[in-house]
Amino acid sequence: MAENIGELSRRGILRLSALAGAGLAVGACDVGGSGKGDGGGQGTGEGKITALFMKQAGYSEDDINAMTAEFQKAYPKITVEPSFVAYEALHDKIVAAAPAGTFDVVLIDVIWPAEFGSKRIVTDVSDQFPASWKTGMLGGALSTASYHNRYYGVPWILDTKYLFYNTDMLARAGVDPASLSTWDGVLAAARALKDKNVVELPLVWSWKQAEALVCDYTQLVGAFGGKFLSDDGKSVAFNSGGGLRALEFMKQTLDAKLSNPNSMESLEEDVRKIFSDGQAAMALNWTYMFNAANDPQQSKIAGKVGVATTPAGTSGGPGVNGSMALSVSSGSKNQKAAWTYVSYMTSAGVQNKYAKSSLPCWSTSYDDSQVVAALPQVVPVAKKQLASLIERPQVPRYNEISLILQAELQNALLGKKTPQKALDDAAGAGRSLLS
Amino acid sequence: MTAAQTSRPAPVSAGRGAHPPASRRPRARRVKLGQVRLALLLLLPAAVVVFGVVLYPAGRALVISFYAVDSPFPGTYPFVGLRNYTEVLADRRLWTAVEHTFYFTAVSTALELVLGLGLAKLLAAPLRMRWLFRAVVVLPWALPTIVNGAMWRWILNAQYGVANALLTTLHLQDGYRSWLGTDPFLALNMVVVADVWKNTSLVAFFLLAGLQTIPQDLYEAARVDGAGPIRSFFRITVPLLLPSIALVLVLRTIEAFKVFDIVYVMTGGGPASGTQTVTFFTYLQAFSAQRFSVGAALAYLTVLTILALALLYLRLLRQAELSAP
Amino acid sequence: MRPTRGYRIFIHAAALVTSIVILAPFAWLLYSSVVGQTDLVSRPMRWVPEHVTLARYREIFAGGGTSAGAAFRAAMVNSVLVGAGTVLVSLTAGVLGGYALARLRFPLRRTTLLSFLVAYMLPPITLIIPMYLLMSRFGLLDTKAGLIVVYCSLATPFALWNMSNFFGSLPAELEDAARVDGCSRLGALVRVILPLSRPGIMATGLYAFLLCWDEFLYSLIFTSTSQAKTIPVAIAEFTGRNAVDFGLIAAGGLLASLPPVVLTIVFQRYLISGLATGAVKG
């Protein structure tokens, strides 16, 4: 036995070290420097390109395949091979594929341009961005792919959270939907619904420890005139003023039993289900909930769904920007062709045609009859809402800040810390991530 | 570990532990060299399959853990020595994750071992319709983890989950309660439940295979000697099953430490980071935040911990094996 | 030993209880897969559903084009092929290497096994980017072969250990007897040892197969089209960014559990070996 133990301590360590050394030698090759992320090239503007999309996001797979087929008819020298992955996989796939340059065009979320742009995972396309686009696109859309005043993609899928309400329940409680234009009005309505026993917990939110929580918080920060960062972007500002007021508001609705406590484990999909089952009267959610809640197969309240712009607090009522953009990946060897494809897919003509799946980014589209006919109830509300959107902080290390914020917001909402302490702790941890 | 021995300890039964006869010794050296060569040859496929794939990535991970790499591209990065390690070890969130991981590992592995042992005996027992029972036992193991996580999340849903519905209808609880949303410790235990439900079958099948190496006549002899079923279980089954138990313990410990999918689907690490395990934390650092060096440092710290645990098990079990009568 | 009546009742009762614990969640999966979406979220729970529908199964079996069903069917095929390939390679490597570890004398035996285990201890998330590059350079991205290569590296360490345990527990005399009769070592391995090791092979094979069946991260990152996507990825894609029909996931999960169960039923006589029943006297 002693021999075996000795075996490990002497020769074992020798052998393991040899193995490790071999691995080290092989692995060390890449850290020495062979250029960062600019393995791509403009290409000839023709040939085959690959594109990475999301499944069931705004546009369906069929929509995108149809758009791509039309593109290939218009530009016969370029062939496109689209791939579709779940949203959860999108970020990781883009990062993993970056050094290998697998994809020429990628779909990115609004919270990624800072991260991807600063690490040169996607190409800066500001020079190709026509000035006409800057005026033609909705104001809220333009900020989707911008970072430090440069554009890293073209806005494509526009989305924000609207206030949805159950028309039937509101009628029974004698609440006028117009009063829902402010958060005070919403609270009053909730109290009325509760007092008249129409519904026990009128409000439901997506406050699970995930990005969804930050989205809701962001919307409220905007409503109460708060800011995430100082104007110079160098320090944190959400632990005072509007940022603090927003969190206190969230906690108050929970304490007053106006908000469903199960919001703490709910994502947007749970909000939709609870709302569609008639167990909540009002909720914030993305555009998709409108069709889903009106589908008799999925919802008990089909036909009784109202949609309004998000309520205003002491300040305006901006919606959280939950859009997505199409970008050219920096490792692409065919960036010219990729840009042609991106320009086509984001053009007004294409977007108007598929407006039923996802609302367009261009202001003129909202007066287009095709678009209005696609979603007649939502389009007028969208036109107002999408003009005013609030961003989550566009900093390279946003993901880490978000993780810290999610944890602390949950701490406050679960009563483990006071809102002030939670936000101060988040600010303290987040400060070092801003540099 | 039985790998180091060619036969069982002699006292257990007759005819199992003979050593090679003395006449072989003069040729020992030549035989030994031949054996070394043959061993290398036989181990070559496994080495190629495993190290061929893992060596470069593992090596690179180790190297970048000493630099400050924050993008997936190869390039010039500053050398920082052990800073990543010290930084991550000073992060309070890591230690909370470590706590959760140790708890999860200890509880789920213990439960799986105990339940798995019982289940293994049941799988070997003379049941009627054995084939059906065995098929049923494979079911949880066969269910993909992401479905398993989604299923338990669904069952335990605070608003409309069937667990709440059932318990309330049977008057075992007053009203619907939140299993995954408000109490971090309860949520962690629910993740344990989901993990044990699925993986006990794996343990059972490995132990079943181990049970097959124990000859029945041992039990006969014990019965003749007057030993009851419990006595023969502890004196015969467990000691002879130690190699399998050791394997299962190490396997499940490694997997519990690496647990990711089920946490990702069931709770996303919440509530209030209550179900965040070390690997989940590594994922958030290494991928979501693109801090690859910190992720690599975390990974190697994890490996060192698991290795220490594994060696501990093997040392303990080896001692237990030797002291068995 | 003839089992007593009390013993028989005990084991059947235990088996029944175990089956209930195992099958209860599966019953819920089955229920969820045939019930309308509105029934799934009703509160209070309606035990008798309002809408019963086989539409989900219809979509899975017959859906065409870009439907979730078509993707699922393709993924099923991919998973089976990848699983079979992995089992083949890792079992072979495990049997050969396990024999060496169990029977041959060479230095650093224990360290060798430990180094294989260390390879398994590394969390995949840290290996994935360099591995992606490797796969890309060898043209293995989005291929079943690529997945087999990666999964074999995961399955082989424990295949090695398990087989070496198993071989080690067999009496040396059997092999010696065969070699005295003129067999080479490898011949003895194939002709004498392997047939007796069926339970070990079965457990290892099942473990390797289900490892592939279940693996999510590598498949997610390395595959992008239906030519290589495996079941967990296909099921994960049933959900949109926000929309989730749990019933569809349940249906997919249920169907995904069937192949391994079928395999177990088919190969189950290998679970029990002759050795334990005293058929082979040491």
Side-chain angles (χ1 to χ4, degrees), chain A residues 10-77:
Chain A
R10 273 180 300 109
R11 296 152 95 187
I13 294 182
L14 266 174
R15 196 180 203 255
L16 278 172
S17 329
L19 252 180
L24 266 166
V26 175
C29 298
D30 278 343
V31 196
S34 50
K36 221 193 212 183
D38 284 325
Q42 280 297 310
T44 54
E46 302 175 354
K48 188 164 95 122
I49 57 173
T50 49
L52 183 63
F53 293 101
M54 198 165 89
K55 271 191 186 257
Q56 302 180 40
Y59 303 113
S60 71
E61 217 172 310
D62 287 329
D63 290 343
I64 295 179
N65 285 333
M67 291 182 199
T68 306
E70 284 155 22
F71 170 77
Q72 288 180 147
K73 251 190 272 170
Y75 294 86
K77 295 238 177 78

Side-chain angles (χ1 to χ4, degrees), chain A residues 132-406:
Chain A
S132 57
W133 286 10
K134 296 184 194 163
T135 45
M137 278 203 187
L138 285 170
L142 270 176
S143 50
T144 301
S146 77
Y147 167 60
H148 277 172
N149 293 321
R150 311 286 298 172
Y151 290 102
Y152 287 92
V154 185
W156 192 44
I157 298 178
L158 211 52
D159 209 356
T160 183
K161 281 195 171 182
Y162 300 93
L163 180 71
F164 292 88
Y165 55 89
N166 187 319
T167 50
D168 184 56
M169 284 185 180
L170 257 54
R172 277 192 282 150
V175 173
D176 177 12
S179 70
L180 301 179
S181 58
T182 63
W183 283 111
D184 286 335
V186 168
L187 286 186
R191 272 187 215 110
L193 285 157
K194 198 175 166 76
D195 292 338
K196 300 210 179 122
N197 282 327
V198 175
V199 63
E200 193 185 328
L201 296 160
L203 297 166
V204 67
W205 313 75
S206 60
W207 289 350
K208 186 175 177 189
Q209 185 167 344
E211 187 65 25
L213 171 55
V214 179
C215 287
D216 273 5
Y217 176 66
T218 305
Q219 202 136 325
L220 288 167
V221 168
F224 289 103
K227 282 196 287 233
F228 277 101
L229 304 175
S230 61
D231 289 325
D232 61 4
K234 296 244 176 15
S235 50
V236 167
F238 57 75
N239 55 337
S240 63
L244 177 60
R245 183 81 197 87
L247 183 54
E248 287 172 344
F249 176 82
M250 290 160 81
K251 185 83 172 67
Q252 275 162 14
T253 62
L254 273 177
D255 293 337
K257 305 244 195 296
L258 294 172
S259 286
N260 191 330
N262 294 329
S263 304
M264 300 308 298
E265 63 181 75
S266 297
L267 290 173
E268 292 93 342
E269 193 45 6
D270 303 289
V271 169
R272 172 186 80 79
K273 291 188 175 119
I274 294 174
F275 182 78
S276 301
D277 193 51
Q279 295 170 37
M282 294 175 281
L284 285 178
N285 213 339
W286 308 101
T287 317
Y288 90 104
M289 177 148 115
F290 185 75
N291 284 331
N294 272 318
D295 174 9
Q297 289 218 331
Q298 299 180 55
S299 164
K300 283 196 227 163
I301 60 168
K304 302 186 198 151
V305 180
V307 57
T309 54
T310 180
T314 50
S315 186
V320 60
N321 189 343
S323 309
M324 302 187 86
L326 280 178
S327 301
V328 176
S329 79
S330 61
S332 161
K333 303 251 188 301
N334 221 333
Q335 300 195 13
K336 216 157 148 200
W339 176 254
T340 314
Y341 182 60
V342 169
S343 314
Y344 177 85
M345 297 291 269
T346 55
S347 62
V350 175
Q351 289 202 349
N352 289 356
K353 206 162 157 199
Y354 296 93
K356 182 144 187 142
S357 305
S358 172
L359 291 174
C361 300
W362 306 92
S363 8
T364 48
S365 303
Y366 290 81
D367 301 316
D368 183 300
S369 52
Q370 192 182 29
V371 173
V372 175
L375 284 172
Q377 225 175 320
V378 182
V379 168
V381 178
K383 188 176 175 184
K384 262 187 281 166
Q385 184 78 76
L386 292 169
S388 148
L389 297 179
I390 173 171
E391 303 290 332
R392 289 160 276 174
Q394 291 272 38
V395 293
R397 294 177 80 170
Y398 171 71
N399 266 318
E400 291 170 77
I401 296 180
S402 176
L403 291 174
I404 294 172
L405 202 50
Q406 291 168 28

Side-chain angles (χ1 to χ4, degrees), chain C residues 67-156:
Chain C
S67 73
F72 184 78
R73 290 195 303 274
M76 250 317 198
V77 172
N78 291 337
S79 279
V80 169
L81 291 174
V82 169
T86 306
V87 167
L88 214 63
V89 176
S90 61
L91 258 184
T92 311
V95 160
L96 294 175
Y99 179 79
L101 285 171
R103 285 280 187 257
L104 300 178
R105 294 182 187 278
F106 59 95
L108 300 173
R109 217 172 2 195
R110 185 168 161 182
T111 320
T112 307
L113 185 61
L114 275 178
S115 46
F116 277 102
L117 293 186
V118 167
Y120 188 69
M121 290 177 193
L122 284 159
I125 197 72
T126 31
L127 305 179
I128 207 156
I129 292 189
M131 234 192 244
Y132 189 97
L133 253 156
L134 266 184
M135 302 269 283
S136 171
R137 283 207 198 126
F138 284 102
L140 289 174
L141 277 181
D142 202 33
T143 61
K144 293 187 271 286
L147 284 181
I148 293 179
V149 164
V150 175
Y151 290 166
C152 285
S153 76
L154 293 175
T156 306

Side-chain angles (χ1 to χ4, degrees), chain B residues 91-114:
Chain B
D91 191 336
R92 206 169 25 95
R93 292 174 301 173
L94 173 67
W95 292 104
T96 332
V98 168
E99 258 176 57
H100 300 147
T101 310
F102 267 102
Y103 178 81
F104 177 83
T105 307
V107 176
S108 67
T109 309
L111 278 174
E112 284 161 11
L113 195 57
V114 169

Side-chain angles (χ1 to χ4, degrees), chain B:
Chain B
M1 208 164 67
T2 324
Q5 301 169 294
T6 55
S7 51
R8 295 296 179 107
V12 178
S13 78
R16 289 261 263 149
H19 286 286
S23 58
R24 287 230 194 145
R25 261 184 242 127
R27 286 188 356 223
R29 200 123 180 255
R30 207 173 359 137
V31 170
K32 189 160 190 225
L33 219 60
Q35 288 200 9
V36 172
R37 227 172 291 161
L38 183 60
L40 278 172
L41 200 66
L42 289 177
L43 282 168
L44 194 63
V48 165
V49 158
V50 174
F51 295 112
V53 171
V54 160
L55 205 61
Y56 166 64
R60 185 181 153 86
L62 186 60
V63 168
I64 71 173
S65 74
F66 298 112
Y67 287 76
V69 176
D70 59 354
S71 111
F73 297 108
T76 359
Y77 296 99
F79 178 81
V80 293
L82 289 174
R83 197 186 71 188
N84 290 318
Y85 289 90
T86 51
E87 184 187 316
V88 91
L89 285 172
D91 191 336
R92 206 169 25 95
R93 292 174 301 173
L94 173 67
W95 292 104
T96 332
V98 168
E99 258 176 57
H100 300 147
T101 310
F102 267 102
Y103 178 81
F104 177 83
T105 307
V107 176
S108 67
T109 309
L111 278 174
E112 284 161 11
L113 195 57
V114 169
L115 292 172
L117 202 50
L119 193 52
K121 292 229 81 168
L122 213 51
L123 285 169
L127 293 166
R128 259 196 302 193
M129 301 250 277
R130 273 199 287 208
W131 63 273
L132 187 61
F133 182 63
R134 288 167 184 169
V136 165
V137 171
V138 167
L139 270 175
W141 190 7
L143 187 68
T145 306
I146 54 161
V147 180
N148 189 33
M151 175 180 80
W152 286 101
R153 178 157 178 247
W154 191 262
I155 290 178
L156 295 170
N157 189 294
Q159 187 76 14
Y160 44 72
V162 69
N164 273 325
L166 206 57
L167 290 172
T168 314
T169 318
L170 294 175
H171 297 295
L172 289 169
Q173 71 179 17
D174 287 326
Y176 281 45
R177 70 146 76 150
S178 168
W179 298 88
L180 298 172
T182 43
D183 182 355
F185 187 60
L186 183 59
L188 188 58
N189 282 308
M190 290 299 106
V191 179
V192 169
V193 165
D195 192 70
V196 169
W197 180 82
K198 178 175 154 73
N199 287 303
T200 302
S201 305
L202 181 159
V203 172
F205 275 94
F206 267 103
L207 292 178
L208 175 65
L211 280 177
Q212 302 311 304
T213 65
I214 306 175
Q216 282 293 74
D217 28 343
L218 284 183
Y219 293 112
E220 302 274 0
R223 223 168 48 89
V224 163
D225 284 348
I230 299 184
R231 199 123 189 268
S232 63
F233 179 76
F234 281 102
R235 289 300 177 87
I236 301 177
T237 314
V238 173
L240 289 179
L241 209 48
L242 275 179
S244 293
I245 292 180
L247 184 150
V248 157
L249 256 181
V250 175
L251 176 64
R252 290 307 305 155
T253 301
I254 295 180
E255 300 204 341
F257 252 88
K258 289 195 326 187
V259 80
F260 176 75
D261 299 350
I262 189 116
V263 172
Y264 185 65
V265 178
M266 251 178 108
T267 60
S273 308
T275 55
Q276 242 184 46
T277 55
V278 171
T279 308
F280 198 79
F281 184 70
T282 308
Y283 166 75
L284 294 175
Q285 292 298 311
F287 247 90
S288 290
Q290 289 206 49
R291 299 179 67 209
F292 300 108
S293 291
V294 174
L298 268 171
Y300 274 96
L301 286 172
T302 310
V303 170
L304 286 173
T305 312
I306 305 178
L307 187 58
L309 274 176
L311 289 174
L312 185 67
Y313 288 151
L314 294 176
R315 182 83 59 98
L316 284 176
L317 286 173
R318 172 141 252 177
Q319 288 173 352
E321 195 179 351
L322 290 171
S323 64

